[in-house]
């Protein structure tokens, strides 16, 4: 059995209880060495075989899994954040299916949420933005044209960019050309929840300059949108005294 497990954004205690148990029980762990906190591996059994997938190809990862399966061992494939976001898990799962190897998934705290916690941020403020666009700049991996940053920027919604810290000159240009005003609030959050975490508040027009100044080129999220600074939002309907819900009867308007 293979368990795909989300390791969380960095801090050792931001893994789920289930994920921690799976690590403790695993015979084999294949972890994404570039971004998974190695402290998590201290929970592994003494005789657990540990691979760092940063130095492996997909084929080698699958081979390690198959070898474990032949011996009827339990494998944890440990991915950073939540495996469903830029986790390259589908390609592994498809091969496992073809080879009749059983697998399941255990979610993790994405850096999307880790970064919000660093900033005490609510991505979705009533009347400001009710949507979060999760995307990335085009790098070696192509992004479909209909999903270009320029196209998404037209919504002026909250946007979170993964895998883009080294491409901010182009990102900044596309964000502005697409529709965000250059003075729209923005943030660069580096290694959210790790001990070396840093964050910088800036604007869309100063994203590149900010990342350059503080030498942030990777392991950062770029957050864009009025939610970063807006205090002019509508209060929630759910907690409004006049609002009736399944659990609470609202008071009539005086
Ligand atoms: N599955 C992961 C994302 C993997 S893609 C998740 O859910 O978080 C790798 C990218 O995620 C990095 O380039 C960076 O943009 C972002 N990232 C991962 N961990 C991060 C962290 N602790 N702080 C900021 N960004 C992070």
């Amino acid at each position: 059995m293979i368990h795909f497990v989300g390791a969380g954004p960095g801090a050792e205690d931001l893994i789920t209880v289930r994920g921690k148990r799976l690590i403790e029980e695993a015979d084999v762990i294949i972890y994404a060495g570039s971004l998974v906190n190695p402290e998590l591996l201290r929970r592994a059994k003494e005789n657990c075989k540990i691979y760092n997938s940063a130095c492996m190809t997909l084929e080698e990862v699958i081979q390690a899994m198959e070898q474990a399966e032949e011996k009827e061992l339990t494998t944890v494939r440990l991915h950073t954040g939540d495996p469903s976001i830029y986790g390259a898990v589908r390609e592994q799962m498809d091969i496992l299916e073809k080879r009749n190897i059983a697998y399941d998934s255990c979610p993790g705290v994405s850096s999307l949420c880790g970064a919000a916690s660093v900033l005490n941020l609510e991505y979705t403020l009533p009347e400001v933005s009710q949507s979060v666009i999760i995307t990335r700049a085009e790098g070696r991996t192509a992004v479909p044209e209909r999903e270009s940053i320029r196209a998404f920027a037209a919504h002026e919604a909250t946007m979170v960019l993964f895998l883009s810290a080294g491409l901010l000159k182009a990102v900044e240009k596309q964000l502005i050309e697409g529709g965000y005003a250059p003075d729209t609030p923005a943030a660069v959050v580096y290694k959210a929840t790790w001990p070396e975490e840093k964050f910088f508040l800036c604007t869309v027009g100063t994203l590149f300059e900010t990342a350059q100044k503080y030498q942030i080129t990777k392991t950062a999220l770029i957050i864009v949108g009025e939610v970063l600074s807006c205090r002019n939002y509508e209060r929630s309907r759910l907690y409004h005294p006049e609002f009736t819900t399944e659990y609470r009867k609202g008071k009539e308007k005086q």
Side-chain angles (χ1 to χ4, degrees):
M1 183 75 179
I2 317 285
H3 303 285
F4 289 88
V5 176
E12 202 191 334
D13 54 355
L14 281 178
I15 187 164
T16 63
V17 175
R18 185 186 299 179
K20 176 174 161 281
R21 178 178 57 78
L22 290 167
I23 288 179
E24 286 162 356
E25 291 172 2
D27 303 303
V28 175
I29 297 178
I30 308 170
Y31 75 105
S34 55
L35 281 171
V36 167
N37 189 340
E39 291 295 314
L40 285 168
L41 303 172
R42 284 195 298 125
R43 302 178 197 275
K45 290 193 289 200
E46 213 168 289
N47 58 350
C48 178
K49 190 162 171 55
I50 296 180
Y51 297 87
N52 177 357
S53 65
C55 320
M56 297 163 82
T57 62
L58 169 63
E59 287 73 10
E60 286 164 348
V61 167
I62 297 291
Q63 196 182 17
M65 289 175 174
E66 277 190 311
Q67 281 168 1
E69 283 300 301
E70 278 161 22
K71 294 185 203 142
E72 295 186 7
L73 299 176
T74 300
T75 301
V76 161
R77 175 68 171 111
L78 195 56
H79 281 274
T80 177
D82 183 83
S84 72
I85 300 181
Y86 303 112
V89 286
R90 187 71 258 163
E91 60 190 24
Q92 299 172 66
M93 292 172 177
D94 280 343
I95 299 177
L96 295 177
E97 267 172 44
K98 274 196 201 124
R99 301 191 187 176
N100 278 323
I101 297 176
Y103 64 87
D104 65 9
S105 294
C106 171
V109 177
S110 173
S111 58
L112 174 81
C113 304
S117 75
V118 170
L119 301 172
N120 288 318
L121 176 67
E122 179 171 348
Y123 283 126
T124 52
L125 288 176
E127 300 287 325
V128 181
S129 181
Q130 288 291 283
S131 313
V132 185
I133 297 169
I134 297 170
T135 189
R136 63 171 297 171
E138 185 162 75
R140 276 183 294 183
T141 303
V143 173
E145 177 50 34
R146 61 182 183 281
E147 294 178 19
S148 70
I149 291 176
R150 199 179 275 107
F152 280 145
H155 298 280
E156 294 181 62
T158 308
M159 190 185 287
V160 180
L161 293 132
F162 284 71
L163 298 156
S164 304
L167 301 161
L168 287 183
K169 200 168 190 168
V171 166
E172 187 180 308
K173 185 167 176 284
Q174 291 175 39
L175 288 169
I176 294 170
E177 283 174 4
Y180 290 101
D183 64 355
T184 306
V188 178
V189 185
Y190 171 75
K191 292 203 96 171
T193 81
W194 287 77
E196 58 271 40
E197 154 194 302
K198 286 185 201 142
F199 70 89
F200 308 98
L201 298 174
C202 60
T203 63
V204 168
T206 58
L207 268 171
F208 175 61
E209 182 191 317
T210 305
Q212 260 215 328
K213 183 167 167 197
Y214 297 104
Q215 298 181 351
I216 307 295
T217 55
K218 59 179 193 172
T219 328
L221 285 183
I222 310 305
I223 303 174
V224 172
E226 290 296 337
V227 291
L228 280 162
S229 71
C230 184
R231 293 291 167 265
N232 198 19
Y233 52 87
E234 278 290 312
R235 64 175 287 176
S236 75
R237 299 302 302 155
L238 188 61
Y239 295 106
H240 198 288
E242 286 159 19
F243 198 66
T244 297
T245 71
E246 206 180 323
Y247 304 100
R248 180 172 66 77
K249 172 124 182 61
K251 289 196 189 88
E252 266 182 36
K253 211 173 179 173
Q254 300 294 315

